[in-house]
Amino acid sequence: MEKSSTQENETHNGGVHSQAKASTDGSICGYESLHQLLRENLKPNLFQEVNRLLLGLNCGRGLETVVLPESAKSLSSQHNFDIQAFNFRADKELLRTPRIVRVGLIQNSIALQTTVPFLDQKRAIFEKLKPIIDAAGASGVNVLCLQEAWMMPFAFCTREKRWCEFAEPVQGESTQFLQDLAQKYNMVIVSPILERDINHGETIWNTAVIIGNHGNIIGKHRKNHIPRVGDFNESTYYMEGNTRHPVFETAYGKIAVNICYGRHHPLNWLAFGLNGAEIVFNPSATVGELSEPMWPIEARNAAIANSYFVGSINRVGTETFPNPFTSGDGKPQHADFGHFYGSSHFSAPDASCTPSLSRNRDGLLISDMDLNLCRQLKDKWGFRMTARYELYADMLAQYLKPDFEPQIISDPLLHKKSS
């Protein structure tokens, strides 16, 4: 049946309205996530099949949801943040007991406008995160990771050095704030901050601080790969990190942190796996126009290829700065990065993953994960055994030489002159 011109206009206007809404509030045509859009518009049997294809199966079944305590749900309602919880299973083993750990991810927008005094901005973010962390603690989360540079607006697009004032030592105010909560809830907390290295000329780094469940500082990792693309002019503030690929052995498992842009580098993921990581966090700050099609793919692929769990975190909202800036791409000057689309999620080594958190609201994503699944998938696929590392070690060694020549075999007829 063909649509009348009136129906076509209504459909067109509705589509324009939905697109306008999405551009202003960060939703997908009025829905908080792709998962919600599909669930509310597909028949249950169709949604189940689409869900299977998009999210995969964990040990042959769809992911189960986890019932959270009323106190956590109450905090979610009171402070208007998304909260979801799921369970990754592993097969039952005869010689090992399950190694179940409860892991949480927090995504959030900034709390005040970027024109407000810096100290007020930072303290407001602390105040905003406190009830979300309390909800994680009430839910029994063992390991919690926050988003990249959580204690400030992501001002690295501006190239203005005044934002360096947000940088703080590893033992600074943000760490102290989280140390008390880590000890209170017996929780390991991964805290990505803008670090000021007092002992080395006050050099600034993009750093993740690992806080132990007793409130102690276990260690730190500095961002390995720095973007120079679009508005992401981060090398104006800090350069590539010098901590290599550390894995931190905590009370709840071996964890690592692949900060933001590092997710685009497969060898970065590989190195954390070679060092024995069971969970790798990817705290990020990324916008829709630049990276959203890549977002559900890269971390999931890393979890599969390296047989570990991945927690992907992205901030939320549009952050507008006082002075417009350009990015050397010929586009007009603008005062914001674009929309940080949230959509934090977990990926498992068996190719299953959780639905994403909201694209436009603060959120807490919780997952139980049986770490036995990591070794079970190593045994199943044999990626380590079949990886041929020596082959690629030799290739990379050759590539690093100034006289490297690519291994290209040309068709001998390709450049032959026609008679």
Side-chain angles (χ1 to χ4, degrees), residues 325-367:
F325 48 87
T326 61
S327 300
D329 54 8
K331 294 181 180 179
Q333 65 177 4
H334 45 285
D336 65 81
F337 258 124
H339 178 70
F340 294 105
Y341 53 83
S343 304
S344 302
H345 63 281
F346 284 109
S347 304
D350 64 356
S352 61
C353 64
T354 66
S356 298
L357 286 177
S358 170
R359 293 184 85 259
N360 56 0
R361 267 203 305 157
D362 298 348
L364 169 63
L365 181 62
I366 295 172
S367 176

XYZ file of all heavy atoms in Angstrom, residues 325-367:
322
model
N 37.151 27.022 19.223
C 38.429 26.514 18.748
C 38.228 25.861 17.387
O 37.108 25.548 16.987
C 39.019 25.498 19.740
C 38.037 24.444 20.184
C 37.867 23.271 19.452
C 37.271 24.623 21.330
C 36.955 22.304 19.843
C 36.348 23.658 21.724
C 36.191 22.499 20.990
N 39.313 25.671 16.673
C 39.283 24.957 15.398
C 40.222 23.760 15.488
O 41.005 23.634 16.435
C 39.707 25.852 14.223
O 41.055 26.300 14.458
C 38.799 27.056 14.095
N 40.140 22.902 14.469
C 40.922 21.664 14.524
C 41.760 21.430 13.285
O 42.159 20.299 13.008
C 39.974 20.485 14.748
O 39.272 20.646 15.954
N 42.002 22.469 12.497
C 42.840 22.315 11.328
C 42.235 21.461 10.235
O 42.953 20.918 9.390
N 40.911 21.319 10.245
C 40.259 20.489 9.242
C 39.360 21.299 8.306
O 38.570 20.734 7.539
C 39.426 19.391 9.911
C 38.425 19.935 10.930
O 38.270 21.177 11.011
O 37.802 19.124 11.635
N 39.465 22.615 8.382
C 38.687 23.469 7.496
C 37.268 23.720 7.955
O 36.543 24.497 7.323
N 36.848 23.094 9.045
C 35.487 23.290 9.540
C 35.415 24.564 10.375
O 36.427 25.018 10.921
C 35.055 22.075 10.371
C 34.934 20.800 9.546
C 34.486 19.622 10.412
C 34.367 18.348 9.591
N 33.958 17.188 10.425
N 34.236 25.154 10.497
C 34.113 26.387 11.280
C 34.503 26.178 12.736
O 34.435 25.056 13.265
C 32.621 26.729 11.154
C 32.133 25.993 9.959
C 32.950 24.747 9.881
N 34.904 27.254 13.383
C 35.224 27.149 14.797
C 33.972 26.769 15.586
O 32.846 27.056 15.188
C 35.805 28.466 15.306
C 34.859 29.653 15.279
C 35.506 30.891 15.882
O 36.673 30.871 16.256
N 34.743 31.970 15.984
N 34.185 26.092 16.698
C 33.085 25.607 17.519
C 33.549 25.584 18.959
O 34.742 25.693 19.245
C 32.648 24.214 17.061
C 33.791 23.275 16.792
N 34.585 23.366 15.668
C 34.284 22.247 17.506
C 35.528 22.425 15.691
N 35.370 21.738 16.813
N 32.609 25.425 19.878
C 32.936 25.530 21.306
C 32.738 24.219 22.055
O 32.833 24.197 23.280
C 32.079 26.622 21.967
N 32.470 23.132 21.336
C 32.319 21.836 22.003
C 32.859 20.725 21.108
O 32.979 20.879 19.893
C 30.853 21.564 22.368
C 29.976 21.414 21.136
O 29.973 20.315 20.549
O 29.301 22.389 20.751
N 33.183 19.598 21.731
C 33.659 18.402 21.036
C 32.575 17.777 20.167
O 32.844 17.149 19.157
C 34.007 17.334 22.085
C 35.466 17.173 22.369
C 35.950 17.296 23.657
C 36.355 16.847 21.353
C 37.290 17.113 23.943
C 37.702 16.664 21.633
C 38.172 16.794 22.930
N 31.343 17.876 20.645
C 30.244 17.056 20.160
C 29.691 16.281 21.344
O 30.071 16.515 22.496
N 28.805 15.336 21.075
C 28.147 14.603 22.154
C 28.954 13.377 22.563
O 29.250 12.510 21.743
C 26.750 14.162 21.718
C 26.027 13.366 22.760
N 25.566 13.930 23.935
C 25.705 12.045 22.816
C 24.983 13.001 24.652
N 25.067 11.845 24.008
N 29.331 13.324 23.838
C 29.896 12.104 24.421
C 28.733 11.137 24.648
O 27.829 11.419 25.435
C 30.598 12.403 25.741
C 31.837 13.263 25.595
C 31.809 14.596 25.963
C 33.007 12.736 25.087
C 32.947 15.397 25.837
C 34.147 13.524 24.950
C 34.112 14.851 25.324
N 28.762 9.997 23.972
C 27.565 9.166 23.857
C 27.460 8.035 24.877
O 26.655 7.114 24.714
C 27.462 8.583 22.446
C 28.689 7.841 21.963
C 28.922 6.515 22.305
C 29.617 8.482 21.153
C 30.048 5.843 21.858
C 30.741 7.822 20.698
C 30.955 6.500 21.043
O 32.079 5.845 20.595
N 28.220 8.088 25.963
C 28.060 7.067 26.998
C 28.188 5.670 26.426
O 29.227 5.280 25.908
N 27.115 4.874 26.574
C 27.044 3.530 25.976
C 28.096 2.579 26.537
O 28.606 1.709 25.836
C 27.182 3.617 24.446
O 26.207 4.461 23.894
N 28.412 2.736 27.820
C 29.375 1.845 28.462
C 28.847 0.413 28.478
O 27.642 0.191 28.600
C 29.645 2.329 29.887
O 30.119 3.667 29.880
N 29.767 -0.553 28.367
C 29.341 -1.949 28.286
C 30.491 -2.880 28.667
O 31.656 -2.466 28.725
C 28.853 -2.289 26.882
C 29.910 -2.160 25.817
N 30.289 -0.952 25.293
C 30.678 -3.086 25.188
C 31.239 -1.128 24.389
N 31.502 -2.419 24.310
N 30.154 -4.150 28.903
C 31.139 -5.196 29.144
C 31.175 -6.156 27.966
O 30.141 -6.444 27.340
C 30.782 -6.012 30.396
C 31.065 -5.324 31.698
C 30.025 -4.860 32.493
C 32.370 -5.163 32.158
C 30.277 -4.245 33.711
C 32.626 -4.546 33.371
C 31.578 -4.087 34.150
N 32.360 -6.676 27.673
C 32.542 -7.724 26.675
C 33.251 -8.903 27.335
O 34.106 -8.710 28.204
C 33.386 -7.222 25.500
O 32.829 -6.063 24.923
N 32.913 -10.111 26.896
C 33.467 -11.327 27.481
C 34.299 -12.082 26.454
O 34.125 -11.909 25.242
C 32.344 -12.215 28.005
N 35.201 -12.965 26.904
C 36.060 -13.695 25.970
C 35.319 -14.672 25.069
O 35.881 -15.125 24.067
C 37.050 -14.424 26.887
C 36.421 -14.444 28.228
C 35.589 -13.211 28.312
N 34.068 -15.007 25.395
C 33.298 -15.920 24.538
C 32.460 -15.172 23.503
O 31.547 -15.738 22.906
C 32.417 -16.842 25.372
C 31.339 -16.105 26.149
O 31.312 -14.856 26.120
O 30.520 -16.768 26.799
N 32.741 -13.886 23.288
C 32.086 -13.032 22.291
C 30.734 -12.499 22.738
O 30.074 -11.787 21.990
C 31.940 -13.721 20.932
N 30.309 -12.802 23.941
C 29.066 -12.218 24.443
C 29.357 -10.841 25.035
O 30.486 -10.539 25.420
C 28.424 -13.120 25.495
O 29.284 -13.289 26.615
N 28.329 -10.006 25.095
C 28.495 -8.688 25.698
C 27.164 -8.236 26.280
O 26.108 -8.771 25.950
C 29.023 -7.671 24.694
S 27.928 -7.322 23.311
N 27.237 -7.250 27.158
C 26.034 -6.710 27.783
C 25.399 -5.666 26.872
O 26.063 -5.104 25.993
C 26.357 -6.032 29.119
O 27.162 -4.863 28.870
C 27.091 -6.973 30.061
N 24.131 -5.366 27.073
C 23.584 -4.132 26.493
C 24.355 -2.933 27.044
O 25.003 -3.022 28.090
C 22.131 -4.130 26.963
C 21.829 -5.528 27.344
C 23.117 -6.116 27.837
N 24.291 -1.827 26.342
C 25.002 -0.622 26.755
C 24.153 0.218 27.705
O 22.926 0.176 27.667
C 25.375 0.225 25.541
O 26.244 -0.471 24.695
N 24.839 0.994 28.516
C 24.151 2.016 29.302
C 23.616 3.111 28.375
O 23.875 3.130 27.177
C 25.110 2.631 30.324
C 25.494 1.790 31.546
C 26.499 2.547 32.402
C 24.266 1.413 32.372
N 22.911 4.038 28.962
C 22.284 5.149 28.235
C 23.299 5.963 27.434
O 24.465 6.082 27.816
C 21.573 6.055 29.233
O 21.140 7.250 28.632
N 22.828 6.557 26.325
C 23.641 7.478 25.542
C 23.621 8.896 26.123
O 24.435 9.735 25.723
C 23.151 7.568 24.096
C 23.330 6.313 23.276
C 22.915 6.521 21.837
N 23.982 7.090 21.025
C 24.078 8.352 20.675
N 23.164 9.222 21.075
N 25.073 8.778 19.934
N 22.695 9.178 27.026
C 22.543 10.575 27.451
C 22.291 10.751 28.951
O 21.895 11.833 29.376
C 21.403 11.244 26.666
C 20.079 10.508 26.801
O 19.976 9.490 27.482
N 19.044 11.027 26.150
N 22.519 9.692 29.735
C 22.350 9.816 31.185
C 23.545 9.209 31.891
O 24.187 8.288 31.395
C 21.089 9.071 31.646
C 19.846 9.917 31.717
C 18.822 9.310 32.682
N 18.481 7.944 32.371
C 17.983 7.092 33.278
N 17.807 7.462 34.530
N 17.672 5.852 32.916
N 23.821 9.709 33.095
C 24.796 9.059 33.954
C 24.377 7.610 34.165
O 23.188 7.274 34.051
C 24.879 9.760 35.307
C 25.327 11.209 35.205
O 25.795 11.616 34.126
O 25.204 11.933 36.210
N 25.338 6.760 34.491
C 24.955 5.366 34.665
C 25.971 4.544 35.432
O 27.157 4.882 35.531
N 25.472 3.434 35.979
C 26.276 2.425 36.655
C 25.933 1.075 36.042
O 24.777 0.647 36.070
C 25.970 2.422 38.161
C 26.533 1.250 38.979
C 28.065 1.245 38.964
C 26.012 1.312 40.426
N 26.936 0.437 35.449
C 26.761 -0.897 34.879
C 27.515 -1.889 35.754
O 28.704 -1.687 36.044
C 27.293 -0.945 33.443
C 27.143 -2.281 32.713
C 25.671 -2.673 32.555
C 27.821 -2.224 31.346
N 26.826 -2.946 36.149
C 27.398 -3.953 37.043
C 27.358 -5.309 36.352
O 26.387 -5.629 35.666
C 26.619 -4.005 38.374
C 26.770 -2.677 39.131
C 27.078 -5.170 39.242
C 25.884 -2.560 40.349
N 28.404 -6.075 36.539
C 28.400 -7.429 35.991
C 29.117 -8.385 36.917
O 30.228 -8.098 37.388
C 29.067 -7.465 34.616
O 29.125 -8.796 34.142
